[in-house]
Every structure is written in structure tokens, then in C-alpha cells.
Amino acid sequence: MRPSKREPDEMRAVSFERGFSKHAEGSCLVRFGDTHVLCTASLEERVPPWLRNSGQGWVTAEYGMLPRSTGDRMRREASSGKQGGRTLEIQRLIGRSLRSVVDLQALGEKQITIDCDVIQADGGTRTAAITGGFIALSDCLSWMEARQMVSRDKVLKDHVAAISCGIYNGTPVLDLDYAEDSAAETDANFVMTGKGGIVEIQGTAEGEPFSEDEFAALMGLARKGITKLVDMQKMAIS
């Protein structure tokens, strides 16, 4: 039995609250159970130096956890003068995931930064950030389209979402919360597009190595979860 009493293929309650930040060109407060992440999209009329005069835009991401997003207060990374390795890994993953469904040439020489701030953490913060970050990005492009800056449908090639899976007490399960994540024998994150394309898979055996059959089971759960998330994204955006 899972600590949350959910079925192995049952996700936590997921919700998207668009327009959460009045100042950002796009924003979404995403909730995966007790994991809450605020995703904001900010438009800049510039690109990194290595893209100047290329006609190509850029989408990037930053990620951070608020001090009391966890049980004990975390020290702000700014106070230590640098970001930790985990933070850098996650924000690069978010950026790669969102760029996978963006036509950067159609965007033009503009940069969109997706800031993902974890308000409350209970496992799966990176997958929630990717899933909610897509909605913030989509709303930013809609804001731009209303001002005749781009065509949203030309820039966005597909949806993208992410979900965690793992093996807990010998059973493959979908959408791990912290209680499961911290005790799982295998932990994996899957990023996929709405058309079923694989963007990235991160999988680790915390104890005994997992088998090909177990990986296939995790992949099946991930596809089911991401299909549902993409459907929810479409409903939220429409």
C-alpha cells in the first residue's frame, strides 16, 4: 500500500492556476498534491550574445526553492553566493524540456525566461515545474500574439509535460510524493511531448538494479500520466 493510499497508477490531484502573477507576461501556479510551484514567463527583447543577429530566439529557465518550502528552513542559495549543483541540473532540464517544443526561429530574436519557484515541496518539484512552465510559456506567447509580435501556433510545436515514477516496496508506481521518493528502490523522471516523443528520461536505482521489464512498466505508467497531464494542459489553456 502506498503511504498516500493511492493506486499504483493514480496521480496526485493536479491543478493549474493561470494568471497568478499580474506582472508577468505568462504565469501559472501548478499544484501536484502538496507540491506547489509558481512558474512565471518573462519576455526580453534580447538574446544571449552568441545568438545575436542569428534571427533565432531563446527559451531558458531558472529554478529555486523558498526557504520554508521544506520541513526545515533551507538557506537561500543567494546567501552562499552560488547555486547548488542540484539547482543547476534542474533548471537546465526545465529549459531543455521547454525548448524541445519551441520553434526558436519563429520566436525571433527574443528571450523568454521561465522562473520556477517552489513554494511547497512534497516530491516531484522538477516535473511540476516543467508541466506548469509550459502553461506559463504558452500564455506568454499568447500575450505576444495579441500584440502582433509572434504567431503562438507557429512558435509552439507541441505540448510538453513531465512525471515521476518509481518502484516502491517492489511495485512500480506513478507520481511519487516525498514519502515514496525518499524510500523508493528506483526513482525516475520522464519528460514527453503531447505526441508521445521522449525528451528526457532520468532513472536511478537507489538499491538493487532494476530490470528491463521494470523499466518498461515505469515507461507505461509515465505515458499514462503524461497523456493525462497534456489533456489537462489543453483544458487549462483553452
Side-chain angles (χ1 to χ4, degrees), residues 119-166:
I119 298 172
Q120 184 170 282
D122 186 34
T125 60
R126 71 187 70 191
T127 54
I130 292 167
T131 307
F134 173 83
I135 292 180
L137 172 63
S138 174
D139 282 354
C140 177
L141 292 170
S142 294
W143 183 94
M144 295 169 68
E145 184 174 54
R147 289 155 181 79
Q148 300 181 336
M149 300 171 69
V150 296
S151 170
R152 175 191 171 278
D153 290 342
K154 289 183 178 178
V155 177
L156 271 186
K157 301 181 291 185
D158 200 352
H159 287 68
V160 67
I163 197 73
S164 65
C165 297

mmCIF file of all heavy atoms in Angstrom, residues 119-166:
data_model
loop_
_atom_site.group_PDB
_atom_site.id
_atom_site.type_symbol
_atom_site.label_atom_id
_atom_site.label_comp_id
_atom_site.label_asym_id
_atom_site.label_seq_id
_atom_site.Cartn_x
_atom_site.Cartn_y
_atom_site.Cartn_z
ATOM 1 N N ILE A 119 7.189 26.811 -3.875
ATOM 2 C CA ILE A 119 6.583 27.382 -2.667
ATOM 3 C C ILE A 119 6.478 26.317 -1.589
ATOM 4 O O ILE A 119 6.697 26.586 -0.398
ATOM 5 C CB ILE A 119 5.202 27.959 -2.993
ATOM 6 C CG1 ILE A 119 5.336 29.095 -4.016
ATOM 7 C CG2 ILE A 119 4.491 28.452 -1.732
ATOM 8 C CD1 ILE A 119 4.011 29.605 -4.536
ATOM 9 N N GLN A 120 6.132 25.096 -2.015
ATOM 10 C CA GLN A 120 5.973 23.975 -1.074
ATOM 11 C C GLN A 120 6.413 22.703 -1.788
ATOM 12 O O GLN A 120 5.995 22.457 -2.915
ATOM 13 C CB GLN A 120 4.511 23.878 -0.641
ATOM 14 C CG GLN A 120 4.241 22.809 0.406
ATOM 15 C CD GLN A 120 2.841 22.941 0.965
ATOM 16 O OE1 GLN A 120 2.571 23.798 1.802
ATOM 17 N NE2 GLN A 120 1.930 22.105 0.498
ATOM 18 N N ALA A 121 7.264 21.935 -1.145
ATOM 19 C CA ALA A 121 7.839 20.747 -1.775
ATOM 20 C C ALA A 121 7.360 19.474 -1.095
ATOM 21 O O ALA A 121 7.429 19.352 0.124
ATOM 22 C CB ALA A 121 9.366 20.805 -1.715
ATOM 23 N N ASP A 122 6.864 18.549 -1.916
ATOM 24 C CA ASP A 122 6.498 17.212 -1.420
ATOM 25 C C ASP A 122 6.779 16.187 -2.516
ATOM 26 O O ASP A 122 5.958 15.322 -2.798
ATOM 27 C CB ASP A 122 5.024 17.176 -1.008
ATOM 28 C CG ASP A 122 4.652 15.846 -0.341
ATOM 29 O OD1 ASP A 122 5.502 15.271 0.361
ATOM 30 O OD2 ASP A 122 3.519 15.376 -0.555
ATOM 31 N N GLY A 123 7.944 16.302 -3.134
ATOM 32 C CA GLY A 123 8.341 15.390 -4.203
ATOM 33 C C GLY A 123 7.863 15.850 -5.567
ATOM 34 O O GLY A 123 6.779 16.415 -5.703
ATOM 35 N N GLY A 124 8.681 15.627 -6.587
ATOM 36 C CA GLY A 124 8.288 15.937 -7.959
ATOM 37 C C GLY A 124 8.300 17.406 -8.307
ATOM 38 O O GLY A 124 7.533 17.850 -9.165
ATOM 39 N N THR A 125 9.178 18.189 -7.677
ATOM 40 C CA THR A 125 9.182 19.629 -7.967
ATOM 41 C C THR A 125 9.618 19.911 -9.406
ATOM 42 O O THR A 125 9.092 20.816 -10.055
ATOM 43 C CB THR A 125 10.095 20.397 -6.999
ATOM 44 O OG1 THR A 125 11.447 19.917 -7.111
ATOM 45 C CG2 THR A 125 9.616 20.241 -5.557
ATOM 46 N N ARG A 126 10.574 19.143 -9.925
ATOM 47 C CA ARG A 126 11.042 19.421 -11.296
ATOM 48 C C ARG A 126 9.984 19.049 -12.333
ATOM 49 O O ARG A 126 9.838 19.747 -13.345
ATOM 50 C CB ARG A 126 12.371 18.699 -11.563
ATOM 51 C CG ARG A 126 12.301 17.206 -11.701
ATOM 52 C CD ARG A 126 13.690 16.594 -11.802
ATOM 53 N NE ARG A 126 14.413 16.678 -10.536
ATOM 54 C CZ ARG A 126 15.709 16.408 -10.389
ATOM 55 N NH1 ARG A 126 16.431 16.038 -11.435
ATOM 56 N NH2 ARG A 126 16.284 16.500 -9.214
ATOM 57 N N THR A 127 9.255 17.962 -12.089
ATOM 58 C CA THR A 127 8.233 17.566 -13.051
ATOM 59 C C THR A 127 7.063 18.547 -13.021
ATOM 60 O O THR A 127 6.493 18.886 -14.064
ATOM 61 C CB THR A 127 7.754 16.131 -12.784
ATOM 62 O OG1 THR A 127 7.320 15.999 -11.428
ATOM 63 C CG2 THR A 127 8.884 15.145 -13.027
ATOM 64 N N ALA A 128 6.707 19.026 -11.840
ATOM 65 C CA ALA A 128 5.662 20.041 -11.739
ATOM 66 C C ALA A 128 6.101 21.324 -12.424
ATOM 67 O O ALA A 128 5.304 21.987 -13.104
ATOM 68 C CB ALA A 128 5.324 20.304 -10.271
ATOM 69 N N ALA A 129 7.376 21.700 -12.263
ATOM 70 C CA ALA A 129 7.890 22.928 -12.871
ATOM 71 C C ALA A 129 7.832 22.865 -14.393
ATOM 72 O O ALA A 129 7.475 23.848 -15.051
ATOM 73 C CB ALA A 129 9.317 23.184 -12.395
ATOM 74 N N ILE A 130 8.187 21.731 -14.972
ATOM 75 C CA ILE A 130 8.127 21.587 -16.428
ATOM 76 C C ILE A 130 6.685 21.677 -16.914
ATOM 77 O O ILE A 130 6.372 22.390 -17.883
ATOM 78 C CB ILE A 130 8.765 20.257 -16.860
ATOM 79 C CG1 ILE A 130 10.274 20.282 -16.605
ATOM 80 C CG2 ILE A 130 8.475 19.961 -18.334
ATOM 81 C CD1 ILE A 130 10.937 18.926 -16.709
ATOM 82 N N THR A 131 5.796 20.968 -16.236
ATOM 83 C CA THR A 131 4.395 20.910 -16.654
ATOM 84 C C THR A 131 3.717 22.275 -16.524
ATOM 85 O O THR A 131 3.001 22.717 -17.425
ATOM 86 C CB THR A 131 3.645 19.847 -15.846
ATOM 87 O OG1 THR A 131 4.350 18.590 -15.933
ATOM 88 C CG2 THR A 131 2.241 19.651 -16.358
ATOM 89 N N GLY A 132 3.930 22.951 -15.409
ATOM 90 C CA GLY A 132 3.370 24.287 -15.232
ATOM 91 C C GLY A 132 4.104 25.341 -16.032
ATOM 92 O O GLY A 132 3.504 26.316 -16.502
ATOM 93 N N GLY A 133 5.419 25.137 -16.218
ATOM 94 C CA GLY A 133 6.213 26.078 -17.004
ATOM 95 C C GLY A 133 5.729 26.164 -18.437
ATOM 96 O O GLY A 133 5.772 27.225 -19.063
ATOM 97 N N PHE A 134 5.235 25.024 -18.974
ATOM 98 C CA PHE A 134 4.708 25.046 -20.331
ATOM 99 C C PHE A 134 3.500 25.971 -20.433
ATOM 100 O O PHE A 134 3.354 26.715 -21.409
ATOM 101 C CB PHE A 134 4.321 23.637 -20.789
ATOM 102 C CG PHE A 134 3.615 23.636 -22.119
ATOM 103 C CD1 PHE A 134 4.333 23.666 -23.303
ATOM 104 C CD2 PHE A 134 2.220 23.651 -22.185
ATOM 105 C CE1 PHE A 134 3.686 23.715 -24.527
ATOM 106 C CE2 PHE A 134 1.566 23.691 -23.400
ATOM 107 C CZ PHE A 134 2.301 23.717 -24.580
ATOM 108 N N ILE A 135 2.624 25.956 -19.427
ATOM 109 C CA ILE A 135 1.439 26.816 -19.464
ATOM 110 C C ILE A 135 1.846 28.283 -19.375
ATOM 111 O O ILE A 135 1.308 29.142 -20.090
ATOM 112 C CB ILE A 135 0.463 26.428 -18.344
ATOM 113 C CG1 ILE A 135 -0.121 25.038 -18.629
ATOM 114 C CG2 ILE A 135 -0.646 27.465 -18.201
ATOM 115 C CD1 ILE A 135 -1.099 24.542 -17.596
ATOM 116 N N ALA A 136 2.806 28.603 -18.515
ATOM 117 C CA ALA A 136 3.301 29.979 -18.434
ATOM 118 C C ALA A 136 3.895 30.416 -19.770
ATOM 119 O O ALA A 136 3.664 31.546 -20.226
ATOM 120 C CB ALA A 136 4.336 30.096 -17.319
ATOM 121 N N LEU A 137 4.643 29.528 -20.411
ATOM 122 C CA LEU A 137 5.224 29.825 -21.720
ATOM 123 C C LEU A 137 4.135 30.053 -22.757
ATOM 124 O O LEU A 137 4.189 31.014 -23.544
ATOM 125 C CB LEU A 137 6.139 28.677 -22.143
ATOM 126 C CG LEU A 137 6.695 28.727 -23.571
ATOM 127 C CD1 LEU A 137 7.580 29.949 -23.769
ATOM 128 C CD2 LEU A 137 7.469 27.446 -23.876
ATOM 129 N N SER A 138 3.138 29.180 -22.769
ATOM 130 C CA SER A 138 2.035 29.308 -23.722
ATOM 131 C C SER A 138 1.308 30.638 -23.537
ATOM 132 O O SER A 138 0.981 31.334 -24.521
ATOM 133 C CB SER A 138 1.061 28.140 -23.547
ATOM 134 O OG SER A 138 -0.079 28.306 -24.353
ATOM 135 N N ASP A 139 1.061 31.029 -22.293
ATOM 136 C CA ASP A 139 0.368 32.284 -22.036
ATOM 137 C C ASP A 139 1.221 33.487 -22.426
ATOM 138 O O ASP A 139 0.688 34.508 -22.885
ATOM 139 C CB ASP A 139 -0.039 32.366 -20.570
ATOM 140 C CG ASP A 139 -1.282 31.535 -20.263
ATOM 141 O OD1 ASP A 139 -1.888 30.991 -21.217
ATOM 142 O OD2 ASP A 139 -1.648 31.427 -19.078
ATOM 143 N N CYS A 140 2.525 33.378 -22.252
ATOM 144 C CA CYS A 140 3.425 34.448 -22.683
ATOM 145 C C CYS A 140 3.342 34.622 -24.201
ATOM 146 O O CYS A 140 3.273 35.750 -24.712
ATOM 147 C CB CYS A 140 4.861 34.132 -22.258
ATOM 148 S SG CYS A 140 6.088 35.351 -22.801
ATOM 149 N N LEU A 141 3.316 33.508 -24.927
ATOM 150 C CA LEU A 141 3.221 33.578 -26.386
ATOM 151 C C LEU A 141 1.860 34.125 -26.822
ATOM 152 O O LEU A 141 1.773 34.849 -27.827
ATOM 153 C CB LEU A 141 3.479 32.197 -26.990
ATOM 154 C CG LEU A 141 4.912 31.690 -26.833
ATOM 155 C CD1 LEU A 141 5.013 30.221 -27.232
ATOM 156 C CD2 LEU A 141 5.883 32.531 -27.676
ATOM 157 N N SER A 142 0.819 33.809 -26.082
ATOM 158 C CA SER A 142 -0.493 34.384 -26.381
ATOM 159 C C SER A 142 -0.479 35.896 -26.156
ATOM 160 O O SER A 142 -1.087 36.664 -26.924
ATOM 161 C CB SER A 142 -1.575 33.739 -25.511
ATOM 162 O OG SER A 142 -1.740 32.373 -25.845
ATOM 163 N N TRP A 143 0.191 36.336 -25.100
ATOM 164 C CA TRP A 143 0.356 37.767 -24.824
ATOM 165 C C TRP A 143 1.084 38.433 -25.988
ATOM 166 O O TRP A 143 0.700 39.531 -26.435
ATOM 167 C CB TRP A 143 1.140 37.936 -23.523
ATOM 168 C CG TRP A 143 1.329 39.347 -23.050
ATOM 169 C CD1 TRP A 143 0.542 40.020 -22.159
ATOM 170 C CD2 TRP A 143 2.386 40.247 -23.419
ATOM 171 N NE1 TRP A 143 1.040 41.287 -21.958
ATOM 172 C CE2 TRP A 143 2.165 41.454 -22.714
ATOM 173 C CE3 TRP A 143 3.491 40.152 -24.260
ATOM 174 C CZ2 TRP A 143 3.014 42.559 -22.837
ATOM 175 C CZ3 TRP A 143 4.338 41.248 -24.403
ATOM 176 C CH2 TRP A 143 4.107 42.434 -23.693
ATOM 177 N N MET A 144 2.119 37.788 -26.489
ATOM 178 C CA MET A 144 2.874 38.332 -27.615
ATOM 179 C C MET A 144 2.022 38.354 -28.891
ATOM 180 O O MET A 144 2.068 39.308 -29.661
ATOM 181 C CB MET A 144 4.143 37.512 -27.839
ATOM 182 C CG MET A 144 5.138 37.588 -26.689
ATOM 183 S SD MET A 144 6.480 36.379 -26.830
ATOM 184 C CE MET A 144 7.359 37.018 -28.277
ATOM 185 N N GLU A 145 1.240 37.295 -29.094
ATOM 186 C CA GLU A 145 0.399 37.233 -30.293
ATOM 187 C C GLU A 145 -0.639 38.351 -30.287
ATOM 188 O O GLU A 145 -0.935 38.939 -31.338
ATOM 189 C CB GLU A 145 -0.291 35.873 -30.373
ATOM 190 C CG GLU A 145 -1.113 35.680 -31.641
ATOM 191 C CD GLU A 145 -1.658 34.267 -31.752
ATOM 192 O OE1 GLU A 145 -2.327 33.816 -30.800
ATOM 193 O OE2 GLU A 145 -1.400 33.621 -32.785
ATOM 194 N N ALA A 146 -1.187 38.667 -29.113
ATOM 195 C CA ALA A 146 -2.170 39.746 -29.020
ATOM 196 C C ALA A 146 -1.574 41.090 -29.407
ATOM 197 O O ALA A 146 -2.305 42.019 -29.778
ATOM 198 C CB ALA A 146 -2.738 39.809 -27.603
ATOM 199 N N ARG A 147 -0.252 41.204 -29.349
ATOM 200 C CA ARG A 147 0.445 42.435 -29.718
ATOM 201 C C ARG A 147 1.148 42.299 -31.067
ATOM 202 O O ARG A 147 2.029 43.080 -31.401
ATOM 203 C CB ARG A 147 1.445 42.805 -28.609
ATOM 204 C CG ARG A 147 0.712 43.278 -27.347
ATOM 205 C CD ARG A 147 1.513 43.094 -26.087
ATOM 206 N NE ARG A 147 0.747 43.541 -24.916
ATOM 207 C CZ ARG A 147 -0.213 42.833 -24.336
ATOM 208 N NH1 ARG A 147 -0.517 41.630 -24.796
ATOM 209 N NH2 ARG A 147 -0.862 43.320 -23.292
ATOM 210 N N GLN A 148 0.757 41.272 -31.801
ATOM 211 C CA GLN A 148 1.258 41.026 -33.164
ATOM 212 C C GLN A 148 2.776 40.876 -33.213
ATOM 213 O O GLN A 148 3.428 41.293 -34.166
ATOM 214 C CB GLN A 148 0.787 42.130 -34.115
ATOM 215 C CG GLN A 148 -0.735 42.226 -34.200
ATOM 216 C CD GLN A 148 -1.206 43.289 -35.158
ATOM 217 O OE1 GLN A 148 -0.501 44.242 -35.446
ATOM 218 N NE2 GLN A 148 -2.422 43.122 -35.674
ATOM 219 N N MET A 149 3.325 40.240 -32.182
ATOM 220 C CA MET A 149 4.768 40.009 -32.124
ATOM 221 C C MET A 149 5.138 38.648 -32.693
ATOM 222 O O MET A 149 6.215 38.489 -33.272
ATOM 223 C CB MET A 149 5.260 40.135 -30.676
ATOM 224 C CG MET A 149 4.999 41.487 -30.057
ATOM 225 S SD MET A 149 5.347 41.535 -28.278
ATOM 226 C CE MET A 149 7.125 41.395 -28.278
ATOM 227 N N VAL A 150 4.282 37.654 -32.488
ATOM 228 C CA VAL A 150 4.520 36.303 -32.992
ATOM 229 C C VAL A 150 3.168 35.641 -33.262
ATOM 230 O O VAL A 150 2.122 36.151 -32.839
ATOM 231 C CB VAL A 150 5.307 35.408 -31.992
ATOM 232 C CG1 VAL A 150 6.702 35.929 -31.733
ATOM 233 C CG2 VAL A 150 4.518 35.245 -30.694
ATOM 234 N N SER A 151 3.210 34.502 -33.929
ATOM 235 C CA SER A 151 2.051 33.620 -34.019
ATOM 236 C C SER A 151 2.293 32.465 -33.051
ATOM 237 O O SER A 151 3.230 31.675 -33.242
ATOM 238 C CB SER A 151 1.882 33.083 -35.443
ATOM 239 O OG SER A 151 0.904 32.052 -35.463
ATOM 240 N N ARG A 152 1.465 32.385 -32.001
ATOM 241 C CA ARG A 152 1.676 31.369 -30.968
ATOM 242 C C ARG A 152 1.745 29.975 -31.552
ATOM 243 O O ARG A 152 2.616 29.169 -31.193
ATOM 244 C CB ARG A 152 0.557 31.447 -29.927
ATOM 245 C CG ARG A 152 0.608 30.369 -28.866
ATOM 246 C CD ARG A 152 -0.666 30.353 -28.029
ATOM 247 N NE ARG A 152 -0.701 29.187 -27.164
ATOM 248 C CZ ARG A 152 -1.084 27.970 -27.550
ATOM 249 N NH1 ARG A 152 -1.452 27.755 -28.811
ATOM 250 N NH2 ARG A 152 -1.090 26.968 -26.696
ATOM 251 N N ASP A 153 0.843 29.654 -32.479
ATOM 252 C CA ASP A 153 0.780 28.300 -33.018
ATOM 253 C C ASP A 153 1.977 27.960 -33.894
ATOM 254 O O ASP A 153 2.271 26.784 -34.118
ATOM 255 C CB ASP A 153 -0.520 28.101 -33.800
ATOM 256 C CG ASP A 153 -1.743 28.066 -32.885
ATOM 257 O OD1 ASP A 153 -1.554 27.849 -31.668
ATOM 258 O OD2 ASP A 153 -2.862 28.269 -33.375
ATOM 259 N N LYS A 154 2.662 28.982 -34.418
ATOM 260 C CA LYS A 154 3.881 28.723 -35.203
ATOM 261 C C LYS A 154 5.088 28.500 -34.289
ATOM 262 O O LYS A 154 6.009 27.769 -34.644
ATOM 263 C CB LYS A 154 4.146 29.880 -36.167
ATOM 264 C CG LYS A 154 3.172 29.950 -37.327
ATOM 265 C CD LYS A 154 3.540 31.071 -38.294
ATOM 266 C CE LYS A 154 2.573 31.096 -39.480
ATOM 267 N NZ LYS A 154 2.875 32.201 -40.417
ATOM 268 N N VAL A 155 5.076 29.158 -33.142
ATOM 269 C CA VAL A 155 6.203 29.017 -32.208
ATOM 270 C C VAL A 155 6.107 27.714 -31.426
ATOM 271 O O VAL A 155 7.102 26.987 -31.279
ATOM 272 C CB VAL A 155 6.263 30.221 -31.244
ATOM 273 C CG1 VAL A 155 7.387 30.032 -30.214
ATOM 274 C CG2 VAL A 155 6.480 31.515 -32.018
ATOM 275 N N LEU A 156 4.910 27.386 -30.931
ATOM 276 C CA LEU A 156 4.723 26.167 -30.136
ATOM 277 C C LEU A 156 4.417 24.993 -31.051
ATOM 278 O O LEU A 156 3.380 24.961 -31.712
ATOM 279 C CB LEU A 156 3.588 26.341 -29.128
ATOM 280 C CG LEU A 156 3.933 26.911 -27.759
ATOM 281 C CD1 LEU A 156 2.715 26.861 -26.856
ATOM 282 C CD2 LEU A 156 5.096 26.181 -27.106
ATOM 283 N N LYS A 157 5.295 24.012 -31.068
ATOM 284 C CA LYS A 157 5.131 22.850 -31.944
ATOM 285 C C LYS A 157 4.324 21.739 -31.295
ATOM 286 O O LYS A 157 3.757 20.895 -31.989
ATOM 287 C CB LYS A 157 6.510 22.308 -32.348
ATOM 288 C CG LYS A 157 7.388 23.313 -33.080
ATOM 289 C CD LYS A 157 8.717 22.704 -33.479
ATOM 290 C CE LYS A 157 9.594 22.433 -32.268
ATOM 291 N NZ LYS A 157 10.941 21.940 -32.637
ATOM 292 N N ASP A 158 4.275 21.714 -29.972
ATOM 293 C CA ASP A 158 3.607 20.617 -29.265
ATOM 294 C C ASP A 158 3.497 20.996 -27.800
ATOM 295 O O ASP A 158 4.015 22.036 -27.370
ATOM 296 C CB ASP A 158 4.421 19.316 -29.429
ATOM 297 C CG ASP A 158 3.616 18.053 -29.166
ATOM 298 O OD1 ASP A 158 2.457 18.162 -28.708
ATOM 299 O OD2 ASP A 158 4.136 16.948 -29.417
ATOM 300 N N HIS A 159 2.825 20.165 -27.031
ATOM 301 C CA HIS A 159 2.816 20.283 -25.579
ATOM 302 C C HIS A 159 3.994 19.485 -25.020
ATOM 303 O O HIS A 159 4.509 18.578 -25.675
ATOM 304 C CB HIS A 159 1.515 19.725 -24.996
ATOM 305 C CG HIS A 159 0.327 20.606 -25.225
ATOM 306 N ND1 HIS A 159 -0.208 20.821 -26.464
ATOM 307 C CD2 HIS A 159 -0.439 21.328 -24.352
ATOM 308 C CE1 HIS A 159 -1.246 21.633 -26.367
ATOM 309 N NE2 HIS A 159 -1.414 21.951 -25.101
ATOM 310 N N VAL A 160 4.379 19.799 -23.796
ATOM 311 C CA VAL A 160 5.380 19.003 -23.097
ATOM 312 C C VAL A 160 4.995 18.956 -21.620
ATOM 313 O O VAL A 160 4.494 19.938 -21.065
ATOM 314 C CB VAL A 160 6.805 19.568 -23.284
ATOM 315 C CG1 VAL A 160 6.975 20.931 -22.608
ATOM 316 C CG2 VAL A 160 7.854 18.585 -22.776
ATOM 317 N N ALA A 161 5.168 17.796 -21.011
ATOM 318 C CA ALA A 161 4.855 17.605 -19.595
ATOM 319 C C ALA A 161 5.809 16.572 -19.016
ATOM 320 O O ALA A 161 6.521 15.877 -19.759
ATOM 321 C CB ALA A 161 3.398 17.168 -19.411
ATOM 322 N N ALA A 162 5.821 16.474 -17.701
ATOM 323 C CA ALA A 162 6.747 15.556 -17.035
ATOM 324 C C ALA A 162 6.088 14.934 -15.821
ATOM 325 O O ALA A 162 5.188 15.525 -15.201
ATOM 326 C CB ALA A 162 8.023 16.293 -16.619
ATOM 327 N N ILE A 163 6.548 13.736 -15.480
ATOM 328 C CA ILE A 163 6.007 12.998 -14.339
ATOM 329 C C ILE A 163 7.099 12.111 -13.760
ATOM 330 O O ILE A 163 8.012 11.695 -14.475
ATOM 331 C CB ILE A 163 4.771 12.151 -14.759
ATOM 332 C CG1 ILE A 163 3.955 11.706 -13.540
ATOM 333 C CG2 ILE A 163 5.203 10.972 -15.601
ATOM 334 C CD1 ILE A 163 3.169 12.795 -12.902
ATOM 335 N N SER A 164 6.996 11.841 -12.483
ATOM 336 C CA SER A 164 7.921 10.912 -11.844
ATOM 337 C C SER A 164 7.271 9.545 -11.711
ATOM 338 O O SER A 164 6.050 9.429 -11.601
ATOM 339 C CB SER A 164 8.337 11.423 -10.456
ATOM 340 O OG SER A 164 7.212 11.449 -9.594
ATOM 341 N N CYS A 165 8.106 8.521 -11.745
ATOM 342 C CA CYS A 165 7.676 7.144 -11.497
ATOM 343 C C CYS A 165 8.757 6.479 -10.647
ATOM 344 O O CYS A 165 9.895 6.946 -10.597
ATOM 345 C CB CYS A 165 7.502 6.356 -12.796
ATOM 346 S SG CYS A 165 6.217 6.986 -13.891
ATOM 347 N N GLY A 166 8.415 5.386 -10.021
ATOM 348 C CA GLY A 166 9.414 4.685 -9.237
ATOM 349 C C GLY A 166 8.936 3.318 -8.817
ATOM 350 O O GLY A 166 7.781 2.941 -9.061
#
